[in-house]
Amino acid sequence: MTVIAHDAKQLSPVAFIARTILSLGLSGRLPTTSWFQDVLEIGSGTVQKALQELKKSGAVSLVSRGHQGTFVVSWDFPLLWDAARMPPVHMLLPPRGSREATQVASAFVQQCRQWDVVTTVGYLRGARSRLAAFQQGEADIMVISSGSAQKLMADAADRGFELFEVGNGSYYRPESLVVVEKTDAAPAKRLRVGIDFHSSDHQRLTRAQFPEQACDYIEVDFTLLPRSVFLGEIDTGVWHQEPSLIPLEKIGLTIKPLDNPQALALAETLSSAVLVVRSASPVAQLLRQIDFATLNAQAMQPLNAADPWFDSVPDILRFR
């Protein structure tokens, strides 16, 4: 996470300076030797020794430009990351049922392996809840939809965040947003439609597919929407499909595609996964090393529930 002064005493001078360089990025100007002395409470000789160690290892190349300061010319990213003794990068995802988000995370992990970057994941329902946890420092990267980014991150740059968009369909695939209803349901004069007030995407999609004047909204957890239809608590609703042990048709439920033009148009604008990171953190530099064209291609491969990665994420990393 972002290097700040209170981290200093927990790190070696080499690790702290390496993290500082990562946060600054290529072409960044290093703080003065006296700044490192004050923060680390060490002598100037120790600062110079740490800098020399980083340069000698090939982790970084620096150039002094007189009174302008010392600048980062180039780096060997894996060596510098290792020297920084970075903890595992923690990603915060939507609930485990979201196979698209899980596949984005899997593609991200695959690329990070080339630099020996360790990545862990956690899960939390609701983009606002994930944002709150992210702001409290409980994650290095937050994954949200482009729809949530539109609502929650309009002032991202002013708040010190940077957004990386994966591409259309990487959060909601075109076929993944459907309408669920009972197969043998009798026509209702006024539909009871499930809506999840914890999810801005679900609210917007529901209102687009089922205009308020034609139905009554009943609050549900969108991940449990088929259950609510089955139990007769609601008549129908928009559902983001996820794997089910029992096919829904076996229990008398029918899945249909969205058919309201407004809902279809909206679904397209909400469909990309967005990775949110603190712009001044070393992890932001990690994301800038990622090949997002390849990441998008990997994330958009056919969903494969048999992929062992889907079952390998430790439960202990899940947020409450």
Side-chain angles (χ1 to χ4, degrees):
M1 299 183 188
T2 306
V3 176
I4 51 180
H6 68 65
D7 293 325
K9 293 183 180 179
Q10 302 173 16
L11 298 170
S12 70
V14 170
F16 184 84
I17 293 173
R19 291 193 190 188
T20 302
I21 292 171
L22 283 168
S23 295
L24 293 169
L26 289 172
S27 303
R29 184 177 66 179
L30 264 65
T32 63
T33 298
S34 60
W35 183 86
F36 283 119
Q37 288 180 250
D38 292 341
V39 171
L40 297 171
E41 298 181 2
I42 57 177
S44 62
T46 305
V47 174
Q48 293 303 318
K49 182 179 178 182
L51 287 168
Q52 287 300 322
E53 184 174 332
L54 287 170
K55 290 190 289 185
K56 187 176 180 179
S57 70
V60 65
S61 293
L62 305 173
V63 62
S64 175
R65 294 175 181 161
H67 67 277
Q68 292 182 337
T70 300
F71 293 80
V72 181
V73 176
S74 64
W75 61 30
D76 183 311
F77 188 80
L79 287 178
L80 188 60
W81 188 271
D82 182 64
R85 297 294 184 262
M86 293 295 297
V89 175
H90 194 62
M91 299 184 72
L92 190 51
L93 306 180
R96 287 177 72 101
S98 176
R99 294 172 65 189
E100 291 97 332
T102 302
Q103 192 140 325
V104 167
S106 178
F108 176 77
V109 168
Q110 288 178 43
Q111 289 208 34
C112 286
R113 284 174 180 161
Q114 66 183 302
W115 304 303
D116 294 325
V117 174
V118 178
T119 308
T120 60
V121 300
Y123 305 90
L124 190 61
R125 177 188 171 208
R128 291 184 184 277
S129 297
R130 291 198 294 282
L131 175 57
F134 175 74
Q135 289 176 313
Q136 292 168 11
E138 295 179 20
D140 300 289
I141 302 171
M142 172 182 66
V143 181
I144 58 176
S145 71
S146 50
S148 294
Q150 294 162 17
K151 288 287 187 180
L152 303 177
M153 310 301 295
D155 58 347
D158 294 337
R159 296 159 69 183
F161 301 146
E162 188 168 351
L163 278 55
F164 295 82
E165 191 161 322
V166 179
N168 285 351
S170 55
Y171 197 93
Y172 298 117
R173 296 200 180 205
E175 71 280 4
S176 70
L177 293 169
V178 296
V179 171
V180 180
E181 59 187 29
K182 282 191 174 180
T183 304
D184 57 356
K189 291 183 179 179
R190 191 171 177 85
L191 290 173
R192 297 169 299 157
V193 176
I195 189 168
D196 192 335
F197 292 112
H198 286 88
S199 169
S200 62
D201 287 352
H202 195 262
Q203 290 182 61
R204 295 170 69 187
L205 286 165
T206 298
R207 295 181 190 278
Q209 177 68 25
F210 301 101
E212 188 170 7
Q213 62 269 22
C215 63
D216 294 317
Y217 295 140
I218 308 295
E219 185 170 5
V220 299
D221 178 340
F222 77 87
T223 64
L224 302 177
L225 193 138
R227 178 179 183 274
S228 295
V229 174
F230 174 76
L231 293 175
E233 298 169 348
I234 58 176
D235 298 310
T236 187
V238 176
W239 183 48
H240 182 203
Q241 288 193 80
E242 59 187 60
S244 176
L245 292 175
I246 302 175
L248 297 190
E249 62 269 19
K250 298 293 186 182
I251 58 173
L253 299 182
T254 296
I255 292 177
K256 302 191 305 184
L258 300 177
D259 57 12
N260 187 306
Q262 290 185 342
L264 290 168
L266 178 62
E268 180 71 12
T269 69
L270 306 179
S271 70
S272 177
V274 176
L275 309 186
V276 183
V277 67
R278 296 168 189 82
S279 55
S281 73
V283 179
Q285 294 297 338
L286 170 65
L287 281 174
R288 293 177 192 127
Q289 310 305 308
I290 294 291
D291 180 346
F292 270 83
T294 299
L295 181 70
N296 184 35
Q298 292 172 324
M300 293 304 294
Q301 289 176 359
L303 294 172
N304 179 15
D307 185 341
W309 192 90
F310 280 78
D311 299 318
S312 66
V313 181
D315 289 336
I316 59 172
L317 297 175
R318 188 181 306 175
F319 281 104
R320 297 179 180 176

